[in-house]
Amino acid sequence: MSSYRDLLKTRGVARIIAAQLTARFPNGMLSLAFLLHIEHTYDSYGVAGLVLAALSIGQAIAGPLTSRLMGRWGMRPVILTAMIICALAISTIALFPLGIAADMVIALIAGLSTPPIQPAVRTIYPKMVNSSQLTPLFSLDASAQEIIWVLGPVIVTFVSIQIGTVWGIMLAVAFLIGGGIWFLTSPELGRVRIPRSKRKLGVVLKKPPVMLATVVGFLLVAACAAIEAGVVSTFGEGGAEAGIVLAIFAVGSLVGGLSLGHKPIGPWALARRMAIVFVGTAIAAAWLNIWWLAVFLFVAGIGIAPALAVMFAIVSASVRFSDTAEAYGWVGTGQLIGAAVGSALAGFLIDGIGAVGAFLVAAVLALLGFLVPLLGKRFHPDLRGRDASPLPDTEPVATITG
């Protein structure tokens, strides 16, 4: 734990982690807020699903595009413009019910304009700490983001039910704007400029570690989405048990990230961490009892944040600095698609054979998430004793100090 204490004492690290988590807090709120609001407005979960699908499609498309634009126009202009458009689009859905088709179009715009906070901050990290601190920093970041998924749904559900669904959405907008301004005013954004990439969009995916992280990230998040659907189906939407089990699942990820984040990253690192997720998920599927699920989903969770941290590190160590934001954008897109696919597959199996079907889907996805890095070991960089910082570009990178 001393490595994390040293990290948080490093200039700007605690501030930038807190700012980006606040700015990304709507990620844990918007899906549920839209679900509650659209269902309340149109009395249809099907319509709510269409609006959420449009939002997810927009976010998936935006990932690499807005990330790449940061190298062309700068981080602050891109994030600020996206934040304003996204906030206006989300607010329009909350305040002005314009019809199903219009709400879908506006949700697509909201997704397309989602501020690229995550690619930006993961591009900044290598410039804030020394090489020995970078992997623990990625792990700390992956662990801390569990706060978004634990507190976000709880807060937005409470506000939407107790006060109103419009207020639930507008609270997410408040986090988006407040956290975004905090992040934009952080000095670190002014000290680092992403060089303009000279490569075509998507070329970075030819880097095997980037593709490996994108595919495994897709499978990991798909498995998590299936687990969430299975837990909700097991205990019902209104049951406190579902919230308790999912919170324990997230706490497992937090504990795993803090416990394993300082471990050296060898060529087997990603496979080992995904093995933890698979074993915990497979055993959890055997008995849908609250305590059984709580214990073994906690075990499965232990591998999640460490696996994400490994993905961030191998991407960072494998691409040029000018390509890091786009690379993280593709990884994020893979995860967003995974969330949609995992939920959809789980839904089909739940309708067919019951809640256990979702856990079987999750176990299969987690198994694939273990096999891909196991069979693709030769594409996994060995970062033991090696700097995980991005490769330098061939031309000088401007750094502003002051």
Side-chain angles (χ1 to χ4, degrees):
M1 298 298 288
S2 61
S3 59
Y4 297 118
R5 285 194 297 269
D6 293 339
L7 264 177
L8 293 175
K9 290 178 182 177
T10 302
R11 181 187 177 190
V13 168
R15 177 178 59 244
I16 203 74
I17 289 177
Q20 61 99 4
L21 284 177
T22 305
R24 290 169 54 208
F25 210 75
N27 293 351
M29 303 173 69
L30 272 180
S31 293
L32 191 51
F34 275 178
L35 178 69
L36 295 170
H37 180 71
I38 299 298
E39 192 280 330
H40 177 74
T41 302
Y42 298 103
D43 194 27
S44 170
Y45 280 106
V47 173
L50 291 174
V51 174
L52 289 175
L55 177 71
S56 298
I57 290 170
Q59 290 174 328
I61 294 172
L65 294 178
T66 53
S67 300
R68 189 178 176 90
L69 286 175
M70 290 191 293
R72 182 186 296 265
W73 296 338
M75 285 186 281
R76 280 178 170 146
V78 171
I79 293 173
L80 178 61
T81 303
M83 181 182 73
I84 293 171
I85 296 172
C86 188
L88 289 173
I90 294 170
S91 300
T92 299
I93 291 176
L95 301 173
F96 308 105
L98 301 176
I100 297 171
D103 281 350
M104 288 179 63
V105 171
I106 296 169
L108 178 66
I109 294 171
L112 288 169
S113 59
T114 300
I117 303 291
Q118 184 168 299
V121 75
R122 299 215 165 107
T123 301
I124 292 170
Y125 281 159
K127 303 300 180 181
M128 295 182 64
V129 298
N130 61 48
S131 58
S132 64
Q133 293 178 306
L134 187 54
T135 298
L137 178 54
F138 281 135
S139 182
L140 181 62
D141 177 272
S143 302
Q145 74 179 6
E146 292 299 335
I147 297 171
I148 296 172
W149 308 111
V150 174
L151 295 183
V154 174
I155 293 172
V156 79
T157 301
F158 176 81
V159 172
S160 297
I161 292 175
Q162 298 299 322
I163 303 176
T165 57
V166 170
W167 289 101
I169 295 176
M170 295 310 295
L171 180 61
V173 173
F175 274 108
L176 174 68
I177 295 174
I181 292 173
W182 186 9
F183 183 72
L184 288 170
T185 55
S186 299
E188 291 72 25
L189 265 73
R191 297 192 184 111
V192 178
R193 182 180 66 82
I194 304 174
R196 182 173 178 173
S197 177
K198 297 179 179 179
R199 298 165 184 81
K200 292 182 179 179
L201 180 68
V203 170
V204 72
L205 284 172
K206 292 183 179 180
K207 294 282 187 180
V210 177
M211 181 58 75
L212 179 65
T214 301
V215 172
V216 178
F218 163 82
L219 294 167
L220 172 60
V221 174
C224 291
I227 288 171
E228 290 171 1
V231 170
V232 172
S233 175
T234 300
F235 300 108
E237 293 180 9
E241 297 93 338
I244 292 170
V245 171
L246 290 175
I248 291 172
F249 183 43
V251 169
S253 177
L254 177 62
V255 170
L258 297 178
S259 301
L260 302 176
H262 61 283
K263 300 291 185 183
I265 295 177
W268 298 103
L270 189 52
R272 286 172 177 164
R273 286 154 175 78
M274 288 302 301
I276 297 173
V277 179
F278 165 63
V279 170
T281 302
I283 297 177
W287 188 23
L288 304 188
N289 169 274
I290 182 172
W291 299 113
W292 182 269
L293 287 174
V295 169
F296 288 103
L297 288 183
F298 177 86
V299 173
I302 289 174
I304 294 174
L308 290 170
V310 171
M311 293 179 217
F312 302 149
I314 64 174
V315 168
S316 174
S318 304
V319 300
R320 296 187 183 278
F321 182 61
S322 57
D323 292 324
T324 51
E326 184 190 337
Y328 287 126
W330 284 111
V331 173
T333 291
Q335 293 174 4
L336 284 167
I337 296 172
V341 171
S343 297
L345 291 176
F348 285 123
L349 267 291
I350 289 170
D351 289 341
I353 62 175
V356 68
F359 291 97
L360 295 177
V361 167
V364 171
L365 290 167
L367 175 61
L368 293 173
F370 160 68
L371 292 175
V372 169
L374 179 70
L375 299 177
K377 169 181 167 287
R378 64 193 180 96
F379 302 126
H380 191 301
D382 187 349
L383 301 182
R384 291 173 296 185
R386 179 184 156 193
D387 188 353
S389 299
L391 304 173
D393 286 271
T394 54
E395 59 184 13
V397 176
T399 301
I400 305 170
T401 58

